[in-house]
């Protein structure tokens, strides 16, 4: 009996190595990884555009004349895109942050739940951003 146990073929464990830059196009990141990277990107975006937000806040609060100037700035199509990028960054960062806080309580850590919560974060943040875009560009 001990011979039969010894002769059983061992499963080879897969070898994981670092990938090279040329292999990035072939690498498929899981959905939870995409949400994690988008969380970092949205946090950086909100930080990098903080001077724009503070400038717009100053223009809107200084006086009635500066508020009219603010409305003129904010009505430009490029500025609307910047505002929309900030809205997406906030929505993505907030939804992913709530997901991470829930995962900190050890809820939804298994692979299937993590995939579903990542998909939920993407759907909610993109839906809310689309609604703000429709309002921002005057559709409703």
């Amino acid at each position: 009996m001990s011979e039969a146990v010894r002769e059983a073929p061992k499963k080879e464990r897969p070898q994981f190595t670092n990938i090279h830059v040329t292999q990035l196009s072939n690498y498929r990141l899981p959905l939870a990884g995409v949400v994690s990277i988008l969380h970092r990107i949205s946090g950086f975006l909100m930080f990098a555009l903080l001077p724009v937000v503070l400038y717009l806040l100053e223009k809107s609060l200084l006086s009635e004349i500066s508020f009219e100037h603010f409305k003129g700035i904010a009505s430009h199509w490029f500025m609307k895109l910047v505002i929309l990028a900030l809205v997406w960054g906030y929505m993505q960062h907030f939804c992913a942050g709530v997901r991470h806080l829930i995962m900190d309580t050890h809820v939804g850590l298994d692979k299937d739940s993590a995939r579903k919560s990542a998909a939920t974060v993407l759907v909610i943040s993109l839906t809310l951003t689309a609604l703000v875009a429709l309002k921002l560009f005057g559709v409703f």
Side-chain angles (χ1 to χ4, degrees):
M1 179 145 157
S2 63
E3 293 174 13
V5 172
R6 285 187 202 153
E7 292 178 13
K10 288 186 175 182
K11 283 187 176 180
E12 267 193 53
R13 297 187 71 188
Q15 292 287 331
F16 296 106
T17 59
N18 293 334
I19 62 173
H20 193 264
V21 174
T22 58
Q23 297 170 324
L24 285 177
S25 62
N26 299 332
Y27 187 73
R28 185 168 173 253
L29 197 62
L31 195 56
V34 171
V35 168
S36 179
I37 288 174
L38 287 176
H39 183 72
R40 294 166 193 238
I41 290 171
S42 63
F44 175 76
L45 179 72
M46 288 188 302
F47 177 74
L49 291 177
L50 187 61
V52 175
V53 171
L54 292 177
Y55 174 74
L56 291 176
L57 180 65
E58 178 194 14
K59 284 293 182 187
S60 69
L61 296 176
L62 201 57
S63 68
E64 290 181 26
I65 295 172
S66 67
F67 181 72
E68 291 300 323
H69 187 251
F70 161 75
K71 283 176 32 180
I73 292 172
S75 66
H76 192 266
W77 67 270
F78 182 74
M79 201 60 193
K80 285 184 180 182
L81 288 178
V82 171
I83 292 170
L84 190 61
L86 277 168
V87 167
W88 170 81
Y90 175 74
M91 297 295 180
Q92 173 67 29
H93 202 76
F94 179 77
C95 293
V98 169
R99 175 181 179 259
H100 287 301
L101 286 175
I102 291 171
M103 291 175 75
D104 283 345
T105 63
H106 302 287
V107 174
L109 293 178
D110 59 299
K111 193 175 187 178
D112 191 44
S113 297
R115 185 179 297 123
K116 286 179 184 177
S117 66
T120 303
V121 163
L122 286 175
V123 167
I124 289 173
S125 66
L126 290 175
T127 302
L128 291 174
T129 304
L131 289 173
V132 170
L134 291 174
K135 181 68 175 170
L136 186 64
F137 287 100
V139 175
F140 64 72

